[in-house]
Structures are given as C-alpha cells and as structure tokens.
Amino acid sequence: MTVRYKLGCDLSYEIKSTTVFIFNLEVAKLQRHHDLVERLTITPDAARRVYTVPSVQNRYFAIEAQPGPLNVHYEAEVTLDVFRADPAGIDETPLAALPLDIMPFLLPSRFVSSDRLAAFAQKEFGHLPKGHGRVTAICNWLYDNLDYRRGSSDEQTTADESLILRAGVCRDFAHLGIAFCRALNIPARFVSCYAYGLEPRDFHAVFEAYLDGRWWLFDGTRQANLDGLVRIGVGRDAAEIAFSSPFGEMEPGPVKITIEHADGSPELPGRTADAISTEEPAPDAGAS
Amino acid sequence: MTVRYKLGCDLSYEIKSTTVFIFNLEVAKLQRHHDLVERLTITPDAARRVYTVPSVQNRYFAIEAQPGPLNVHYEAEVTLDVFRADPAGIDETPLAALPLDIMPFLLPSRFVSSDRLAAFAQKEFGHLPKGHGRVTAICNWLYDNLDYRRGSSDEQTTADESLILRAGVCRDFAHLGIAFCRALNIPARFVSCYAYGLEPRDFHAVFEAYLDGRWWLFDGTRQANLDGLVRIGVGRDAAEIAFSSPFGEMEPGPVKITIEHADGSPELPGRTADAISTEEPAPDAGAS
Amino acid sequence: MTVRYKLGCDLSYEIKSTTVFIFNLEVAKLQRHHDLVERLTITPDAARRVYTVPSVQNRYFAIEAQPGPLNVHYEAEVTLDVFRADPAGIDETPLAALPLDIMPFLLPSRFVSSDRLAAFAQKEFGHLPKGHGRVTAICNWLYDNLDYRRGSSDEQTTADESLILRAGVCRDFAHLGIAFCRALNIPARFVSCYAYGLEPRDFHAVFEAYLDGRWWLFDGTRQANLDGLVRIGVGRDAAEIAFSSPFGEMEPGPVKITIEHADGSPELPGRTADAISTEEPAPDAGAS
Amino acid sequence: MTVRYKLGCDLSYEIKSTTVFIFNLEVAKLQRHHDLVERLTITPDAARRVYTVPSVQNRYFAIEAQPGPLNVHYEAEVTLDVFRADPAGIDETPLAALPLDIMPFLLPSRFVSSDRLAAFAQKEFGHLPKGHGRVTAICNWLYDNLDYRRGSSDEQTTADESLILRAGVCRDFAHLGIAFCRALNIPARFVSCYAYGLEPRDFHAVFEAYLDGRWWLFDGTRQANLDGLVRIGVGRDAAEIAFSSPFGEMEPGPVKITIEHADGSPELPGRTADAISTEEPAPDAGAS
C-alpha cells in the first residue's frame, strides 16, 4: 500500500551580515520516493550550489545570503513506498559479514559516544536474542527511561549526557539508540525526515539499524509512525544532516513544517508492528 | 557485642624532591572506638603537624619529607562498638527538619555530581518508600548494575561517569551511592576505613546516609561487613579524605594494610541484616 | 577610611508545592562589618531556622513555604572596614606552613576542577614570582581571556568548561580563578557579596586567596571595586553559598538588589591598587 | 625531488576468542605514491575482505581470527612525490566557494569537538591573516602550549580535553589542530602515516587543512618532516582510521614500525619551510 504526501517547510531568517547557509531539507531521491514533484523558493532569490551524496542521496544546497530578511520555502509531493517485513525473521548481520563500507556507522561520532557506552549497552541489551527485536528492545528502553521534553537538551548534547539526564528530544532519543546499537556492533545511523502525524509539526529525527543486509527504521520516541516518514537525509549523527547550517550572523525565525495526505490517499492504520525498511528487499528475501 | 581489632598500614615512598604530605590514615577518635592504642612511626623521623576536624574527628597529620626513601608505619588496636537497629524503623528525615549544619552533605561535590543525576535518581528510586530501605535499594542497584573492577576508574572519575561506565572500585560505588542519596535530598557522605574481611587488603570506602537523625553506614560493593569497619575519616567525597595527599615529586611504593581480630575477640556472624550506625542512639530510640 | 552602606535584596517566588528554602543572603557577622542594623521580612511570615557557620560566619536560614506567593525582603546598614596593604609585600604561604584547617580550600570541588587544570595553571602561571602579584596575574588573565557574558554558562558550568568556552559570568570567573590558585597550591575560596557600583545590580561573586597568613580579595571581572564588597558568605564554590536553595516546585520571580552609600559616607576613589583583605592584620604585620 | 622509502609494520596478537579485525595500515594508492610494491602476510593465513574508500583511497581489510597467536606483517616500497609551494601564496578558500562534498570536514566529530572550541579558536586565531600561515600559527600554538607526553591521553580523549590537559600524543595534537581549523571554518582532516625520521618508530598522525582548493599537510608535534610522510589514510578523526580495530577478546603485542630510505635515495634536507601538499596542483597553479 502506497501513500502520497504533500509536505513542505518554511524557514525565515533575519540576516545581519553576509551568511553562507548549507541546507538539507529536500526530500531524498530514493527509489521508494516515487513521483516526486517539488518546488524550492528562496526570497530574495540567490544562486544555489547543490550537492547530492552519491551513496545515500542526501541533497544539500548552499546559498550566500545578504543582510536583510531571508525566506526559504520548500514544498513537495511524493508517493511513499514502504517495505514491510515480519520482525521475527530479521537477524543481525554478523560482524564477519558486514560490508566494509558500512563501518563508519559502527564508529563513535560527535554526539554518538558509543565507545563510552559499551559496558552500559552490553549490560542492558547484551543478553537479548540478536535481531530486529533487540533494537526494538532498545527503543522500548528509550521510551520507558527517557522523558521527551523540549528544552532538556541543546545542540551539543551527547548520547551519554542524555542517558545521565534521562530526558531529551527526538534528536537525543535517536543518538542514544544509535549509540546502544553501535556499542553492540550493530551499524546504526541518524535519519532526518518529515513525519506524518507528528504533533506539534517539526522536522523529526529517527534512526536506522543495519540488520540482515538492509537498513531498518526505528524510533524510541513513539511520536510518529515508521511507515509515514519521508526521508530527508541520513548521517552519522545530527551534525551531518542539520536542516540548516548557517555561517554568519543572523536571527532564525520560526520554522513551519507541513505534511498531510495528498487527496485520495488512503489513511494508514495506527502504529504498525511490521519492521519497516527504506530499501527494497533483495529478490529472494522473505519480506512481504 | 564488641570486637577488638588489630590493624595498621605500611606506606613507602621514594621522595625525589622535598614533598609535603598530608595523611589521613589514623583511626578516628570516636566514642564507639574504645581503648584505642596506637603507634605511628615515620622513617626517617619528621616533625608532624596535626589537625583534628572538630565536627567529625578526622585526624590529619602533615610532614615535609626530604629526598630519599620514606616509610610511614601505623598500627593500632581498638575495640569497636557498633550500634544496630531494625532498618524498618528508620525513616528519612524531612527536609524541613534537617539540621542546617548537615547541608554540605546535600550539595554536589567534586566527584559527587548529584545535581546532574537528579532525574536519574528520581526515576530509579523516587517512587520507593522513604527510609533506610530506600538507601539499601540504592546499594542493591549499585551491586546489580556496576562491575567492581580494578583499573576501571581513576582519581578524577565522577559519579556520573561511573554510571555511564557501569564499573568502578569502592570509591566509585560510594560516590554514586552518595550522589543518588543527595539527589533524593538524603544527606550522604564518604567514609574511609579499615575493613575487616576485605580481600585483597586495602583501604576501603563506603558511605553514610543521614536518616532519622543519625548517620547510617551503607556499602554497595558488598565487599566487607558493615559491622567490621574501623573508621578513618568522613568527607564530602574522596577528595577530602585521601589517605595520602603528596605535594612534590615522589614515587609511591606498595600499600600494605592489615586488619584482624585481636586475641580472644569473638568472630562475628556473616553479613548482617541490621542497620548499622556509628553514632549512639538517643536515649529514647529503639535501637538494639 | 570606613564607608557605611545601605543595601538589601528583594526576592519573589510563586510556590507551586510546599517548598523548603535555604537562604544565604544576610550580611556576614564579621569584625570588619561594624554597626550592622538589619531587617528581614518574609511574606507571608514563616518560622525560620537559622545556622551560622562558626569558622566563617556564613548565615543561613531555612523556611518551609506553602503554595502561593512568597516574598523575602532584606535590608541592612553596615559600616565596612577594609584592610589595605602593599601587594608587593604579600608572599605566598609555603605548603609546609599552611594551617591544616585550610586544606579544604586546596582541594577540587564541584565547580572548581583544579585537579584537571594542574598542567594548564602550571604552564600559564607556574613560572611567575610567588605572591599576591601572581594571583593578580591570574585575574588579569581571566579579564583578558574570558568574555563576561550573561547566558554563556548555567548552574552546572565548571571551571574547565569556562576555560574552554572562554566566557562566563562572575561566578565562572571566580571558579576559574580559584581553580588556578588551588592548582598552584594557593588555597582559594568563593565569596558572595553585595558589590557597590556593580551594574546592573545583582549579587556578586569574587574570590579570596590565602597568602601570608590571611585571606585576600580578588576579582577577575573588574566589575566592582574590592574595597566596596559587603560579604554574605564564603565557600568552596558556588554550590555552598547559593543565595537561595529551593527544594520543591516554585517559579522564581525577578531578583532586586540595592546597595548605596549611607548618608554622609565618603565616596571612595576608583579602582584601588592596594591589596584588600577582610581580616585584620596581625599586630606586627605591615598593612596600612 | 622524489624519495623512495622502504617501510612496514609488524603486529602481533594473542587471540582469546574469535575476533574480527579491520585493519587500515597499507599505503594509500595515491597518485603521488609511485611504483608501490608491497607484501602483506597474515599468520596463520586468513581470508581477507578488502575495501578502498573511493574518494580518498583509504584501504581497509578485514579478517576473522581464531584463538591462538596472530601476526600481521606488511612491507612496502614506494616512491614519494611531494608537491611544494610557497606558503605565502596559499589563501583560505571562502566558505561560499567550498565544495560541498568537503563539508564533513567542517563538522565536529567524535574527538574533534570543534563546536565547543569556537570561542577559543576565534580568540586565539580569529584576528590572524587568513591563509596557510594561520594554520601554521595553530601548529606553533600546539607546539608551544602542549607537552608531547606518552600516557597523557587515552583512546577517548577529545580535543577540548587535550586543551585542558595541555598534553597529548600525535593523535591529540592532530585532533586539536583540526578542531581549531574547523572552528575557523577551515576544513581539516586527520591523517595517519608512516613518518620518516620519527623516533621512536610508530604510526604517526598529522592533519590536513583545505586551503586554496587543495589539502595541505600540517603537524603541531614537529616530530617528523612533512615531506617524509607516507600516507595510510585520512578521516574525520582517529576513530575512522585506526590502524587496527579488533572486535573480540585478544591481547595485542608490541607494534613494530620500520621506515627508511631505499638504496640510493637522496637524503632530504631538514625541516622544510615549504607548504607541502599531497595533491598535484592544478595546471595553472603556481606551486613549485
């Protein structure tokens, strides 16, 4: 079952001195993102330099903004094709079989201090049966142990700090989930997205773990359904895929996000128990 | 039932340049420490300056050591009188009734980052019934969740780091226990001692919590019995009562600790379920 | 030359649930604080428990506040007697001669991570001539290297973090100055005070270093004159002498501080080059 | 002037349980690495999986080792072609002209906490003229302010900790240099290499900064000459290009590194004042 979404964002800034921005807010050009129609409007208009990361299709664009107001408006329609599978059939990929180009997602990164959390992860999750269920157990732990609370963290909060503080926002839930995975030798990465049903509307962050040869989506916050996420980017952690990286003096205004079903698109049932992947299964795999 | 202990320590240093030492290794002169006989030998001999903290009877002495070998030998005999009570009858002291001179033991200190652990403590222990049993629950948590492992920490390890690392030595167990207590508004302090039965022999660290108007002993390591601890000092954390604080260039040699029952002293039964205090109960209290 | 000050503070809270407060905002009863007249008004009235620390004369009071508005109003008049000396004549006290009861002010504390800053302090200040001038050099370093900026730190900021961030408020300047002193084996402590001339009006924090047998005042912020500080309390760091420590749910309102010369009191000249102490010199000392 | 090197390494392990290793110790297959002849011997022999990062030519290989001794022996001969230029002519690349695929090297990473060091970098180096000389100023600062001392750091030490500790090994000098660059919006990355002249022999770490459209080598340790470095890998920080990443229980033995001039190769003069790059200049550039 495919669903078509209308989505977008509206960002405003008051530029004080010439500012270079790098944005990562456009829908990723993935196979599962069908019939993407989109429009990006920058006011006042500015020359864009663009870059798409070949391996993961993150789309960045950079502009140089002059003093005065700046508005970035993006809107898109896309049909989302979600791959579902029975979680029980999804095993962890043994280390000896992991593709080496995935190694970066096993390593600690700025906000994912997985090296410091090795013993913690081992003690909490080391004894659990390996597979998709173990990462779900991590998400359940996050949900049970961390409070979702705006203002409880800032842009420099790391996974081990969130663990101490027992609170965070979606970014922090994702960082700690990724840290636990990596500490257990499960490759994991940060995902930014437009999330259908998220209240209040905002950019959302979840994570993916690499299991059985594919990346699977997880979210410890339970704030949105995994089968209603339109991906923007993936990265080692939030540092890599900030929706806006400004270099210069400016005042950000409010961020407005929209996402809704396009006309005629079916409403999905509630929270799914399926494992959800962003990648098409290999032909001989048993996913539904 | 009272027990008499023979105990002591033997410290050696190779002094490279003139070094001032402050030592805190003598048995505290508490009421419960009866018939203390002791001998301190410094080789080569050196003038000692001494100081006893009036409120808690910690005994410090300072010497200035010249280059060459230095040996500090201490031996003592003391009869230990332990106050026992039924834990079920020991309540927490309400904040509004806490003596104000105890406030320092509610505050965070260098290695007891209780301010950072407020949410963690509240989530793990906030819902438990107040009283001696809640601090015992903290000790059980420490025992279940931290590995006792030499080399897992160093002199700068703080309570929140031990929580992340899920490992430590007696010093770290005490710091984290104290941090949880303070985060729950239970005054708590660090205790250094000679511990009967500790293997391998070493200085030991436990902690005390202030409940029902008195200080009670706790130990999350379960390495020694609470009724066989001969106190050296108490402080906010390990910084305050290091057994040796050298200021100068020197190489410490091995530390040798002894503690055994004096002839004829009865052997105590194993781990006690009693609450153990170092302070005599007020006349009308129900301790046994 | 003595000056008489009129000063006070006005604190408001909206209490949500029964809250125990410990306040430390009254003028310390020091010898140099002559003819202290004061009034404390709590609205609605509440029973106060009081405690004065014998060694340093910090005055604490605790109240239990019920839900609703709470106001604490304090006003005082006091004549300040300041001891001045020529900085050039003030040496550091050798470690071997330090009174042992001063040792706590050599140790690291929660916000004064002097143990982590040993190498830094040694490299920056280790080669300087010992004495009052070395601590002034530390203050100059703070003034030159840290930005005074509201909002650059929070209640958990430590000295080593301020050093990294190169910014802070008076509390942070004091913590880092104390840390450098302790790392150089100069005892140092945190001082809270009413500061004449501070703009905007607020509680102020400076520090004291122990030199030549006495405590001397220092301030790396250059926000107020050292001879116009009316002391509230001294402690190891800010944790120990917070002006208000609430335990319970409440919303703090604005803090209003006043301090001005009492009628007829002479205006002091500007920044003094004298060394300023809060303690009367010993009879044979050469202070002016 | 080109120089031919003979180099290699010898790593031994005692494997306790099946261990997956990822190694990054082979000479990178760069254009400037001519006539590479090499031999890798694993004893006992084990199937290797290999991966070369397309963008930077880091070469990884993974093996699964069974319990018992393991030896990895690598030897190579390579002719090193170094690109030299006058530092005075090398400007910084304006942010608005930076290729977007270089952005990851502007971001903070696990050990390069450049986000925390923004103010520090700005205060120390922000006022300096932009260009190669500014990064050299950073290296001079590192050399003057940090002690090179084995054992002063460990595998989790971050750039801001090294700054506090004022000490480190080559890895830490590189991390802090990179952090300062990134904080100044100069892309910078970690480089592992065989370093001619390094005593004692070991793997070496330096860093590269992106200036004027190319990557230039820098080393704050002054332990080896920039024109005698045979590159192994580049990455965001040490996490990405550890020479050995073991997953399993094993005991590492000593590491033996060799690097010498091949017969007949000319001896280079001492420390060069040239700017050294690993990339061939564009045809119209003025490098020598």
Side-chain angles (χ1 to χ4, degrees):
Chain A
M1 190 171 63
T2 60
V3 181
R4 188 157 182 85
Y5 292 101
K6 290 176 63 170
L7 57 87
C9 68
D10 212 82
L11 313 176
S12 296
Y13 301 88
E14 184 64 36
I15 311 298
K16 306 293 186 191
S17 69
T18 304
T19 297
V20 171
F21 282 91
I22 302 172
F23 290 104
N24 176 220
L25 51 75
E26 296 162 291
V27 171
K29 288 199 171 153
L30 304 176
Q31 256 192 302
R32 68 182 283 219
H33 287 166
H34 301 285
D35 301 321
L36 176 62
V37 181
E38 56 184 356
R39 190 169 53 173
L40 177 68
T41 316
I42 299 166
T43 313
D45 204 7
R48 274 182 294 146
R49 293 187 300 134
V50 302
Y51 175 65
T52 300
V53 180
S55 55
V56 291
Q57 301 299 314
N58 296 351
R59 297 162 69 195
Y60 297 94
F61 69 90
I63 62 171
E64 189 174 39
Q66 302 308 324
L70 172 73
N71 182 265
V72 175
H73 178 82
Y74 175 70
E75 55 184 69
E77 274 198 41
V78 66
T79 298
L80 185 63
D81 204 3
V82 166
F83 304 104
R84 297 166 187 277
D86 177 0
I90 303 170
D91 219 344
E92 293 178 19
T93 305
L95 263 169
L98 274 183
L100 289 176
D101 61 349
I102 274 178
M103 201 185 63
F105 300 110
L106 272 184
L107 298 174
S109 56
R110 174 66 181 100
F111 303 117
V112 176
S113 39
S114 47
D115 46 345
R116 287 175 63 81
L117 293 172
F120 201 104
Q122 208 50 246
K123 278 182 174 292
E124 294 291 339
F125 311 109
H127 62 287
L128 298 179
K130 294 185 170 189
H132 191 282
R134 183 149 81 148
V135 184
T136 296
I138 288 173
C139 290
N140 292 343
W141 189 97
L142 293 170
Y143 185 79
D144 291 339
N145 285 279
L146 261 63
D147 288 339
Y148 190 98
R149 194 166 64 234
R150 275 164 213 286
S152 60
S153 62
D154 65 26
E155 291 181 348
Q156 295 188 358
T157 304
T158 59
D160 54 303
E161 288 172 340
S162 297
L163 173 52
I164 288 291
L165 300 175
R166 298 285 286 256
V169 296
C170 58
R171 169 194 184 284
D172 306 298
F173 278 69
H175 283 157
L176 187 49
I178 295 169
F180 284 148
C181 285
R182 292 185 190 168
L184 298 167
N185 295 332
I186 302 170
R189 63 188 190 184
F190 192 86
V191 177
S192 63
C193 55
Y194 295 92
Y196 180 73
L198 185 70
E199 286 300 338
R201 299 289 166 83
D202 204 345
F203 289 111
H204 193 40
V206 301
F207 74 97
E208 284 184 336
Y210 187 86
L211 303 165
D212 233 356
R214 279 202 288 165
W215 290 102
W216 300 89
L217 280 163
F218 293 91
D219 182 359
T221 69
R222 297 190 194 168
Q223 304 257 322
N225 289 349
L226 293 176
D227 49 10
L229 306 177
V230 179
R231 176 189 298 176
I232 300 169
V234 297
R236 299 175 194 208
D237 60 29
E240 206 162 32
I241 49 174
F243 69 87
S244 167
S245 304
F247 299 85
E249 280 175 278
M250 45 90 241
E251 287 288 335
V255 171
K256 219 173 78 190
I257 307 290
T258 58
I259 175 165
E260 54 186 76
H261 279 207
D263 294 346
S265 233
E267 192 68 34
L268 287 174
R271 180 167 306 283
T272 177
D274 290 341
I276 301 292
S277 174
T278 65
E279 296 175 304
E280 191 154 9
D284 61 341
S288 58
Chain B
M1 191 172 60
T2 60
V3 180
R4 187 158 183 82
Y5 292 102
K6 291 176 61 170
L7 57 87
C9 68
D10 211 84
L11 312 176
S12 297
Y13 300 88
E14 184 63 35
I15 310 300
K16 306 293 188 192
S17 69
T18 303
T19 297
V20 171
F21 281 90
I22 303 172
F23 290 102
N24 176 220
L25 50 75
E26 296 162 291
V27 170
K29 287 200 170 153
L30 304 176
Q31 257 192 299
R32 68 183 285 219
H33 286 166
H34 302 285
D35 301 320
L36 175 61
V37 182
E38 57 184 354
R39 189 170 52 173
L40 177 67
T41 317
I42 299 167
T43 314
D45 203 7
R48 276 184 291 147
R49 293 188 300 136
V50 303
Y51 175 64
T52 299
V53 180
S55 55
V56 291
Q57 302 297 314
N58 296 350
R59 297 161 70 195
Y60 297 94
F61 68 91
I63 61 170
E64 190 174 40
Q66 303 308 325
L70 172 73
N71 181 265
V72 174
H73 179 83
Y74 175 70
E75 56 186 67
E77 275 199 41
V78 66
T79 297
L80 185 62
D81 205 4
V82 165
F83 304 105
R84 296 165 188 277
D86 177 2
I90 304 169
D91 220 343
E92 293 178 19
T93 305
L95 263 169
L98 274 183
L100 287 177
D101 61 349
I102 273 178
M103 201 185 62
F105 300 109
L106 271 184
L107 299 174
S109 56
R110 174 66 181 97
F111 303 116
V112 176
S113 39
S114 47
D115 46 346
R116 288 175 62 80
L117 293 172
F120 202 104
Q122 208 49 247
K123 278 182 175 292
E124 294 290 339
F125 310 109
H127 61 288
L128 298 180
K130 293 185 171 190
H132 190 282
R134 183 149 80 148
V135 184
T136 297
I138 288 174
C139 290
N140 293 342
W141 188 97
L142 293 170
Y143 184 80
D144 291 340
N145 284 279
L146 261 62
D147 288 339
Y148 189 97
R149 195 166 63 235
R150 275 164 212 286
S152 60
S153 63
D154 64 26
E155 290 181 348
Q156 296 188 358
T157 303
T158 58
D160 55 304
E161 287 172 342
S162 297
L163 173 52
I164 288 292
L165 300 175
R166 297 286 285 258
V169 296
C170 58
R171 168 194 185 284
D172 306 298
F173 279 69
H175 284 156
L176 187 50
I178 296 169
F180 284 148
C181 285
R182 292 185 191 168
L184 297 166
N185 295 332
I186 303 170
R189 63 188 189 183
F190 193 86
V191 177
S192 63
C193 55
Y194 295 92
Y196 181 72
L198 185 69
E199 287 299 340
R201 299 288 166 81
D202 204 344
F203 289 111
H204 193 40
V206 301
F207 73 97
E208 283 185 335
Y210 188 85
L211 302 164
D212 232 357
R214 277 202 288 165
W215 290 102
W216 301 89
L217 280 162
F218 293 91
D219 182 358
T221 69
R222 298 191 193 167
Q223 303 257 323
N225 289 350
L226 294 176
D227 49 10
L229 306 178
V230 179
R231 177 189 296 176
I232 300 168
V234 298
R236 298 175 193 208
D237 60 27
E240 204 162 33
I241 48 173
F243 69 87
S244 166
S245 304
F247 299 85
E249 279 175 278
M250 46 89 242
E251 286 289 333
V255 170
K256 221 173 76 189
I257 307 290
T258 58
I259 176 165
E260 55 186 77
H261 280 206
D263 295 345
S265 231
E267 192 68 34
L268 288 173
R271 180 168 306 284
T272 177
D274 289 340
I276 302 292
S277 175
T278 65
E279 296 175 303
E280 194 155 6
D284 61 339
S288 58
Chain C
M1 191 172 63
T2 60
V3 181
R4 187 158 182 83
Y5 293 102
K6 289 177 61 171
L7 57 87
C9 68
D10 211 82
L11 312 176
S12 296
Y13 300 88
E14 184 63 35
I15 311 299
K16 306 294 187 191
S17 69
T18 304
T19 296
V20 172
F21 282 89
I22 302 172
F23 290 103
N24 176 219
L25 48 76
E26 295 162 290
V27 170
K29 288 199 170 152
L30 303 176
Q31 258 192 298
R32 68 183 283 217
H33 286 166
H34 301 285
D35 302 320
L36 175 63
V37 181
E38 57 184 355
R39 189 170 55 172
L40 177 68
T41 317
I42 298 166
T43 315
D45 202 8
R48 275 184 292 145
R49 293 187 301 136
V50 303
Y51 175 65
T52 299
V53 179
S55 55
V56 290
Q57 301 298 315
N58 297 349
R59 297 162 69 195
Y60 297 94
F61 68 90
I63 61 170
E64 189 174 41
Q66 302 308 324
L70 172 73
N71 181 266
V72 175
H73 178 83
Y74 175 71
E75 57 186 67
E77 274 198 41
V78 67
T79 298
L80 185 62
D81 203 4
V82 166
F83 305 105
R84 296 164 189 278
D86 177 0
I90 303 169
D91 219 345
E92 293 178 19
T93 305
L95 263 169
L98 274 183
L100 287 176
D101 61 349
I102 274 178
M103 202 184 64
F105 300 109
L106 273 184
L107 298 174
S109 56
R110 174 68 181 96
F111 303 117
V112 177
S113 40
S114 48
D115 47 345
R116 288 175 63 81
L117 292 172
F120 202 104
Q122 208 48 248
K123 277 180 175 293
E124 294 290 339
F125 311 108
H127 62 289
L128 298 179
K130 294 187 171 189
H132 190 281
R134 183 150 80 148
V135 184
T136 296
I138 289 173
C139 289
N140 292 343
W141 188 98
L142 292 171
Y143 185 78
D144 291 340
N145 284 279
L146 261 61
D147 288 339
Y148 190 97
R149 195 165 64 235
R150 275 164 212 286
S152 60
S153 63
D154 65 25
E155 291 181 348
Q156 296 188 357
T157 303
T158 59
D160 55 302
E161 287 172 342
S162 297
L163 173 52
I164 288 292
L165 301 175
R166 297 285 285 257
V169 297
C170 58
R171 169 195 185 282
D172 306 298
F173 278 68
H175 284 156
L176 186 50
I178 296 168
F180 285 148
C181 286
R182 292 184 191 169
L184 298 166
N185 295 332
I186 302 170
R189 62 188 189 184
F190 192 87
V191 177
S192 63
C193 54
Y194 295 92
Y196 180 72
L198 185 70
E199 287 298 339
R201 300 287 167 81
D202 205 345
F203 289 111
H204 193 39
V206 301
F207 73 98
E208 283 184 335
Y210 187 86
L211 302 165
D212 233 356
R214 279 202 288 165
W215 290 102
W216 300 89
L217 279 163
F218 293 91
D219 182 359
T221 70
R222 299 190 192 167
Q223 304 258 323
N225 289 350
L226 294 176
D227 49 9
L229 306 178
V230 179
R231 177 187 298 176
I232 301 168
V234 297
R236 299 175 192 208
D237 61 28
E240 206 162 30
I241 48 173
F243 69 86
S244 165
S245 305
F247 299 84
E249 279 175 278
M250 47 88 243
E251 287 288 335
V255 171
K256 220 173 78 190
I257 307 289
T258 58
I259 175 165
E260 54 187 75
H261 279 207
D263 295 345
S265 231
E267 191 70 33
L268 288 174
R271 180 169 307 284
T272 178
D274 290 341
I276 302 293
S277 175
T278 65
E279 295 175 303
E280 193 155 7
D284 61 342
S288 59
Chain D
M1 191 172 60
T2 60
V3 181
R4 187 158 183 83
Y5 292 101
K6 288 176 63 172
L7 57 87
C9 68
D10 211 83
L11 313 175
S12 296
Y13 300 87
E14 184 63 35
I15 311 300
K16 306 295 188 191
S17 69
T18 303
T19 296
V20 171
F21 282 90
I22 302 173
F23 290 103
N24 175 220
L25 50 76
E26 296 162 291
V27 169
K29 287 199 170 152
L30 304 176
Q31 258 191 300
R32 67 183 286 219
H33 286 166
H34 302 284
D35 302 320
L36 176 62
V37 182
E38 57 184 357
R39 190 170 53 173
L40 177 67
T41 316
I42 298 165
T43 313
D45 203 8
R48 276 183 292 146
R49 293 187 302 134
V50 302
Y51 174 65
T52 299
V53 179
S55 55
V56 290
Q57 302 298 313
N58 296 350
R59 297 161 69 195
Y60 297 93
F61 69 88
I63 61 170
E64 189 174 39
Q66 302 309 324
L70 172 73
N71 181 266
V72 175
H73 178 82
Y74 175 70
E75 56 185 68
E77 275 199 40
V78 66
T79 298
L80 185 62
D81 205 3
V82 165
F83 304 105
R84 296 165 188 277
D86 177 0
I90 303 169
D91 219 344
E92 293 179 19
T93 304
L95 263 169
L98 273 183
L100 288 177
D101 61 348
I102 274 177
M103 200 184 64
F105 300 110
L106 272 184
L107 299 173
S109 56
R110 174 67 181 97
F111 303 116
V112 177
S113 39
S114 48
D115 46 345
R116 287 174 63 80
L117 294 171
F120 202 104
Q122 208 50 245
K123 279 182 174 292
E124 294 290 339
F125 311 108
H127 61 288
L128 299 179
K130 294 186 170 188
H132 191 281
R134 182 148 80 146
V135 183
T136 296
I138 289 174
C139 290
N140 292 343
W141 189 97
L142 293 171
Y143 185 78
D144 291 339
N145 285 278
L146 261 62
D147 289 338
Y148 189 98
R149 195 166 64 235
R150 273 162 215 286
S152 59
S153 63
D154 65 26
E155 292 181 347
Q156 295 187 358
T157 304
T158 59
D160 54 303
E161 288 172 341
S162 297
L163 173 52
I164 289 292
L165 300 175
R166 297 285 285 258
V169 296
C170 57
R171 168 193 185 283
D172 306 298
F173 279 69
H175 284 156
L176 186 50
I178 296 168
F180 284 148
C181 286
R182 292 184 191 169
L184 297 167
N185 294 332
I186 303 169
R189 63 188 188 183
F190 192 86
V191 177
S192 63
C193 55
Y194 295 93
Y196 180 72
L198 185 70
E199 287 297 339
R201 300 289 167 80
D202 204 344
F203 289 110
H204 193 41
V206 301
F207 73 98
E208 283 185 335
Y210 187 85
L211 302 164
D212 233 356
R214 278 202 288 165
W215 290 102
W216 300 89
L217 280 163
F218 293 91
D219 182 0
T221 70
R222 299 192 193 165
Q223 303 258 323
N225 290 348
L226 293 176
D227 49 10
L229 305 179
V230 179
R231 175 188 298 175
I232 300 168
V234 297
R236 299 174 193 208
D237 61 28
E240 205 163 31
I241 48 172
F243 69 86
S244 167
S245 305
F247 299 85
E249 280 174 276
M250 46 89 242
E251 286 289 334
V255 171
K256 220 172 78 189
I257 307 289
T258 58
I259 176 164
E260 55 186 77
H261 280 206
D263 295 346
S265 231
E267 192 69 32
L268 288 173
R271 180 168 307 283
T272 178
D274 291 340
I276 302 292
S277 174
T278 64
E279 296 175 304
E280 193 154 8
D284 61 342
S288 58

